[in-house]
Amino acid sequence: MNKHIRITLGIFISTLMLVPVSEIYSQSVIEEITVTARQREESLREVPAAITVLTEQQIRRSGVQRAADFIALTPGVTIVDTAEVGDTQVSIRGLNGARDAETSFGLIIDGIVMTNPAALNREYLGLSQIEVLKGPQGALYGRNASAGAIIVTTAKPADEAATTVKASIGGDSTYAITARADIPMENHKLSIIANHNSTDGWRENTWLDCDDCVDQYESTDIYARMTWDMDENTSMDAKLRYGQVDTSSIVFNAVFQLPAFEAYLGIPTLYEDVNTHKFDFVSNFPHTNDQESLELSFKMEKDLGWANMTAWTLFSDIENDFAADGTSGAFGFFFADQSCLDSLNEIVSAGLGFSLPSPQYIATPDPSVPNGMLLGPYTPTRCDGTQYQVRNQDDLSFEIRVSSPDDQPIRWSMGTYFLDVNREVGVNQGTDKGFGVIESMYLPASSNNPTEQMVWDDFSNKVSAYFGSFDIDLSDTVELSVAGRYDKEKRRVHNLVPTNVTSTYIDCDGFPYTGGPLNTGLCSASSIPDQAKTFEHFQPKVSLAWQLDENASVYMSWGEGFKSGGFNNSGARQTINTFINPLNPSSPVAITDSYAKEVNTSTEVGFKALLAKNRVSLDFSYYQTDATNLQFFEFIVGPFGLLRIVENIDEAELSGVELAMSAIVTDNISIYASGATVDSEIMKNSVRSDSVGNQVPYHADYTVNAGLSFDYPIANGRNFFAQIDYAVVGPTWFHVMQTKNSRMSLFGAPMAYDKTDRERYDTVNVRLGIESDNISIVAFAKNLTDEDYLAEVIPAVEFGGVFAHPGHKRRIGLEVTYQF
């Protein structure tokens, strides 16, 4: 921890020294920022919590439009957005959401809580402010806000008619256009925003000779919002959003981690540092990902005189599926299938000089020949099989809240919340007959893409919650805040796997494959029974704030955050016990068909101040978190195909420091700098006992953010501006297994993990242009220095390697905005 504190302080002081004191004295001052962090409007400096706020001007200047854009400007927060468009994981102070579970943060858009974990990753249009709260916010924002909350505010329909069009063009055939129309009517105000994006992506498939089938992206979004007053005390806000995404999935390479094989065969790429891996994409068909989303919400605000009432309801339906190569080529799962053998022969006999990425090779198409080949996943062969995954969710929620007026010494709020969720999750592993993926969860043996193994379940979740808070002025300078929320979640799972069909290759006893049910959970029963569990928790929070003077305050807070437990796909535990645990009987992977609720207890102290005659702002905070049953995602592959598992880390401790500064240097120049550290340790882990003492996965050891804004008036009312944003993401582990140990891979060789952490990387984004009242022309560069970095590293421990996803490369472009 001390090392990280020194790093953060050093970066901060170095940046601050760039600001000569003699140059700070200009006529400009830092403007007051109003936030809604405690469900009421108040000054940012009065809130007893660490908050990063992006104003409308900052959003526009930095070109923020997606979650990754604003998280890159937020200290102590990192994001992973890789496998599919609906699969985004955000780590706040070391607490990370798990795939196929829930997020660890609350997402609130225009005062409405978004329930679907896929809701974050979208095009944000018409943004006016973003607030990122750190620390447990469940007492105020409810379920899953155990690590923090992201509060997004968009612009309401304007009072006057206006039309704005923004178009941009960039490298790799990247195009975007956004149009907004504000249409005031006699009693209503309406705004409509439409957006379309497309790009071929940075990378190509060298086997298919295709430059738009690895990381291509296309999306269309339509937003409509109407506001009106029902009477002088009642206002209404209705929103409709439709979105469609057509993109890629599984942009991963396998990186082998087999030191024994590397030492014996002398092939360095059998034990390779993930940070030096050279990416090559050679799948035999393009990987695809489709998402369709629909959201409809209504919000009412009413002045009751003695209190203010807010009520809203939201319907959300997000359907997401993707198709890709499987991972079975590495295990010979389909070596009895003629289509697999034919594809091996085609590659060898083609004589095109093609070679698989090292250490993979095909010396002979006959899999029975010793040392005849070495395959990983996602190869040009048909031996990988196929995978088709669905993650569909629809939910209906409702909240009513009553709050006291803001101008009284005791301010209170109370309300209730209800939620009904239906979610379908399935993984279908099929035989690759050379026709690609047929997008269906089950296909018979007579089809062109027959199903061989699958998990497929329908999950339902009913939530009720009751909450309240009090903010009490103990004196003119001291405020006590007390809040609490009780959540109760009833969860059920119903299995959908067909029970009257069998696989061609999978068997209940492991090797050899002689045919068995499509799901190993059906090996011991004719059906998989429904399961039901109830998870409940009370989330308290207490804060004390002391206003030292009109420009400085200190605070301390204590609170608990809660994430509901849930169910893994049915049959997962029996599959692991059949295929994985016999390899390591002394250290089994002790997963269960359900996972426990996560509870995080956090203490924070902080300081906020305005200095140098309101030209410099300073924020400091220190936190310590004890996590119980921390939810963690594991991607397990083997001869059975693949499983997505949520596990619990029994006990973990996390702590860190955050320091942020912004300053107005002159009338034309302003700067900001911030740093954050996370120090974590796994104290107990029943699932993988040999991980105790390692770090909690999916958080960077530290992050650094800095930037400069420059404005210079030129002729005819125009203004030249430049914005530079610099970000550093420190070293990151993505799995609980991080050091050498005795665990064996499915190849019968020991694994090592010391080369699987992502190294530190830094990126620079630049935007500069000319703007006037109705037009702006902006040149931009994202990742200006073309930094090579990894977006994610997913260790598949029993596979003997990891799946690595490359980060974004440089993109340069031009953007024009015109207001009619």
Side-chain angles (χ1 to χ4, degrees):
M1 168 56 69
N2 291 336
K3 177 185 70 174
H4 292 162
I5 293 175
R6 290 197 299 270
I7 291 173
T8 304
L9 288 173
I11 293 169
F12 169 76
I13 293 171
S14 299
T15 305
L16 188 60
M17 290 177 64
L18 296 175
V19 189
V21 174
S22 61
E23 293 187 16
I24 289 182
Y25 291 94
S26 67
Q27 299 301 313
S28 301
V29 296
I30 295 175
E31 296 181 357
E32 185 72 28
I33 297 177
T34 300
V35 297
T36 58
R38 293 192 290 181
Q39 296 280 14
R40 62 174 77 239
E41 292 187 354
E42 56 188 329
S43 169
L44 172 62
R45 294 196 306 276
E46 296 175 356
V47 180
I51 309 174
T52 297
V53 179
L54 300 181
T55 64
E56 184 174 5
Q57 181 176 1
Q58 291 172 307
I59 290 168
R60 186 177 66 254
R61 285 292 176 85
S62 296
V64 172
Q65 193 159 311
R66 297 187 66 85
D69 297 331
F70 63 78
I71 287 175
L73 301 171
T74 307
V77 183
T78 56
I79 187 171
V80 169
D81 173 18
T82 56
E84 53 181 308
V85 70
D87 186 9
T88 303
Q89 300 178 81
V90 175
S91 174
I92 301 177
R93 291 181 167 178
L95 298 177
N96 183 71
R99 286 182 170 95
D100 294 343
E102 305 282 355
T103 63
S104 292
F105 62 92
L107 174 62
I108 299 91
I109 301 179
D110 293 326
I112 295 177
V113 177
M114 312 304 293
T115 300
N116 197 313
L120 176 72
N121 198 16
R122 63 174 69 195
E123 301 293 327
Y124 289 92
L125 307 176
L127 287 168
S128 59
Q129 185 160 294
I130 299 173
E131 306 165 33
V132 182
L133 286 71
K134 292 83 172 275
Q137 307 298 329
L140 294 174
Y141 290 103
R143 60 190 307 273
N144 304 332
S146 57
I150 298 174
I151 304 172
V152 176
T153 304
T154 63
K156 291 183 177 181
D159 294 328
E160 298 181 0
T163 301
T164 303
V165 176
K166 179 173 70 174
S168 67
I169 183 173
D172 309 301
S173 300
T174 301
Y175 307 98
I177 185 166
T178 304
R180 174 179 178 131
D182 287 279
I183 309 169
M185 295 173 279
E186 184 176 355
N187 298 313
H188 300 69
K189 290 182 288 184
L190 173 67
S191 64
I192 300 175
I193 309 177
N195 170 263
H196 183 76
N197 298 280
S198 66
T199 180
D200 286 350
W202 296 276
R203 296 171 175 86
E204 64 175 338
N205 184 313
T206 55
W207 172 253
L208 298 176
D209 192 22
C210 173
D211 65 355
D212 62 351
C213 57
V214 175
D215 52 359
Q216 76 281 5
Y217 180 87
E218 184 174 3
S219 69
T220 301
D221 292 273
I222 299 174
Y223 289 73
R225 186 175 185 182
M226 178 177 287
T227 60
W228 69 97
D229 294 329
M230 295 185 65
D231 55 48
E232 62 180 0
N233 296 319
T234 309
S235 63
M236 300 293 294
D237 189 345
K239 296 173 62 180
L240 172 67
R241 172 184 175 267
Y242 174 79
Q244 192 173 46
V245 177
D246 182 4
T247 184
S248 61
S249 64
I250 313 296
V251 186
F252 287 91
N253 273 188
V255 183
F256 288 77
Q257 303 294 310
L258 296 169
F261 282 14
E262 185 269 341
Y264 179 73
L265 298 175
I267 303 175
T269 48
L270 282 169
Y271 181 33
E272 185 180 6
D273 188 329
V274 295
N275 298 282
T276 59
H277 175 74
K278 302 301 182 183
F279 284 89
D280 194 2
F281 299 94
V282 294
S283 62
N284 62 307
F285 62 87
H287 297 177
T288 62
N289 181 196
D290 297 304
Q291 185 186 91
E292 188 172 18
S293 55
L294 175 67
E295 294 169 358
L296 178 63
S297 66
F298 293 91
K299 180 181 177 182
M300 179 184 72
E301 294 181 300
K302 187 175 183 64
D303 185 352
L304 302 175
W306 57 275
N308 300 309
M309 182 181 72
T310 302
W312 57 260
T313 186
L314 166 70
F315 172 75
S316 171
D317 185 2
I318 300 180
E319 297 185 356
N320 187 85
D321 63 38
F322 76 81
D325 259 324
T327 59
S328 298
F331 306 102
F333 185 73
F334 289 109
F335 279 174
D337 185 78
Q338 193 60 46
S339 178
C340 161
L341 300 178
D342 289 345
S343 69
L344 292 170
N345 189 66
E346 290 166 7
I347 293 175
V348 172
S349 62
L352 299 178
F354 176 81
S355 60
L356 290 172
S358 179
Q360 302 172 76
Y361 66 91
I362 303 174
T364 170
D366 184 356
S368 65
V369 176
N371 300 322
M373 67 182 69
L374 175 63
L375 297 179
Y378 319 134
T379 69
T381 76
R382 295 192 287 276
C383 300
D384 300 313
T386 65
Q387 59 175 306
Y388 175 67
Q389 300 197 27
V390 297
R391 249 167 299 285
N392 302 327
Q393 176 174 316
D394 64 80
D395 51 79
L396 180 65
S397 53
F398 170 81
E399 180 179 286
I400 183 168
R401 180 187 300 264
V402 180
S403 305
S404 69
D406 297 341
D407 57 351
Q408 55 189 44
I410 299 179
R411 299 165 295 282
W412 54 266
S413 176
M414 62 184 63
T416 185
Y417 170 83
F418 297 96
L419 168 67
D420 189 353
V421 177
N422 294 288
R423 194 165 193 239
E424 176 192 6
V425 178
V427 181
N428 168 8
Q429 179 177 343
T431 306
D432 187 350
K433 296 293 188 180
F435 299 95
V437 178
I438 300 175
E439 297 182 354
S440 176
M441 271 309 297
Y442 169 70
L443 291 162
S446 59
S447 74
N448 288 328
N449 184 206
T451 300
E452 292 297 335
Q453 183 267 344
M454 70 188 313
V455 292
W456 189 17
D457 292 278
D458 182 61
F459 300 89
S460 63
N461 183 16
K462 298 186 184 299
V463 181
S464 59
Y466 307 92
F467 52 85
S469 65
F470 289 90
D471 301 325
I472 305 169
D473 292 336
L474 300 180
S475 69
D476 291 341
T477 59
V478 180
E479 179 195 65
L480 173 67
S481 299
V482 180
R485 180 180 178 115
Y486 170 75
D487 283 87
K488 184 175 183 179
E489 304 207 8
K490 297 180 179 180
R491 297 200 169 205
R492 300 182 65 89
V493 58
H494 172 68
N495 189 249
L496 301 172
V497 175
T499 59
N500 58 346
V501 293
T502 58
S503 166
T504 302
Y505 303 111
I506 198 166
D507 188 82
C508 293
D509 299 321
F511 297 93
Y513 307 115
T514 57
L518 297 180
N519 184 299
T520 312
L522 293 167
C523 288
S524 57
S526 59
S527 64
I528 298 176
D530 293 352
Q531 298 184 72
K533 281 192 175 185
T534 298
F535 303 91
E536 52 191 323
H537 196 79
F538 177 71
Q539 301 175 84
K541 185 167 187 179
V542 180
S543 303
L544 188 67
W546 178 22
Q547 196 74 26
L548 301 177
D549 58 38
E550 63 178 1
N551 291 325
S553 65
V554 295
Y555 67 87
M556 62 179 61
S557 67
W558 172 89
E560 282 192 357
F562 157 71
K563 282 176 60 180
S564 172
F567 298 100
N568 286 309
N569 277 120
S570 303
R573 179 180 181 180
Q574 186 164 338
T575 301
I576 297 301
N577 288 339
T578 300
F579 291 95
I580 300 296
N581 287 335
L583 297 169
N584 290 285
S586 61
S587 299
V589 183
I591 72 161
T592 60
D593 285 334
S594 64
Y595 51 91
K597 70 178 182 181
E598 176 185 316
V599 177
N600 305 308
T601 304
S602 184
T603 303
E604 179 179 346
V605 295
F607 171 77
K608 300 182 180 185
L610 282 176
L611 309 172
K613 297 183 179 180
N614 294 355
R615 296 180 181 88
V616 176
S617 72
L618 181 67
D619 292 83
F620 167 84
S621 62
Y622 169 79
Y623 65 89
Q624 188 165 356
T625 302
D626 295 322
T628 303
N629 291 325
L630 189 65
Q631 293 171 9
F632 163 64
F633 170 83
E634 178 121 37
F635 182 67
I636 299 179
V637 299
F640 51 84
L642 61 136
L643 288 174
R644 299 164 64 105
I645 303 296
V646 179
E647 306 166 358
N648 291 110
I649 299 172
D650 304 69
E651 297 176 13
E653 294 180 355
L654 306 97
S655 60
V657 171
E658 295 177 3
L659 190 59
M661 179 275 296
S662 62
I664 296 175
V665 182
T666 69
D667 287 339
N668 306 107
I669 300 174
S670 62
I671 63 172
Y672 72 87
S674 62
T677 69
V678 180
D679 188 33
S680 69
E681 183 177 358
I682 296 172
M683 311 303 293
K684 180 181 179 182
N685 187 1
S686 299
V687 177
R688 292 188 182 273
S689 57
D690 43 354
S691 68
V692 172
N694 291 338
Q695 294 183 23
V696 171
Y698 274 86
H699 74 74
D701 288 351
Y702 57 85
T703 59
V704 177
N705 301 87
L708 179 146
S709 296
F710 175 76
D711 287 88
Y712 189 80
I714 55 180
N716 301 319
R718 297 184 179 91
N719 181 65
F720 171 81
F721 75 88
Q723 177 73 36
I724 302 173
D725 294 306
Y726 171 68
V728 177
V729 178
T732 306
W733 292 100
F734 290 95
H735 199 279
V736 297
M737 306 307 296
Q738 300 163 10
T739 56
K740 295 180 180 179
N741 59 74
S742 59
R743 187 169 292 275
M744 303 293 287
S745 75
L746 289 176
F747 298 108
M751 273 280 291
Y753 312 97
D754 55 314
K755 296 183 178 182
T756 63
D757 66 321
R758 178 178 66 188
E759 293 179 348
R760 160 214 156 119
Y761 70 90
D762 57 285
T763 55
V764 179
N765 294 340
V766 177
R767 289 170 61 87
L768 52 91
I770 297 174
E771 59 187 0
S772 64
D773 289 340
N774 66 335
I775 189 172
S776 69
I777 302 174
V778 181
F780 65 85
K782 292 188 175 182
N783 191 7
L784 176 66
T785 60
D786 204 19
E787 175 88 347
D788 279 328
Y789 66 96
L790 295 169
E792 185 179 22
V793 179
I794 304 179
V797 174
E798 282 66 37
F799 159 68
V802 304
F803 299 99
H805 189 297
H808 292 174
K809 297 178 71 64
R810 177 171 53 208
R811 177 160 292 151
I812 297 174
L814 184 68
E815 173 187 291
V816 178
T817 304
Y818 186 80
Q819 182 172 351
F820 296 90

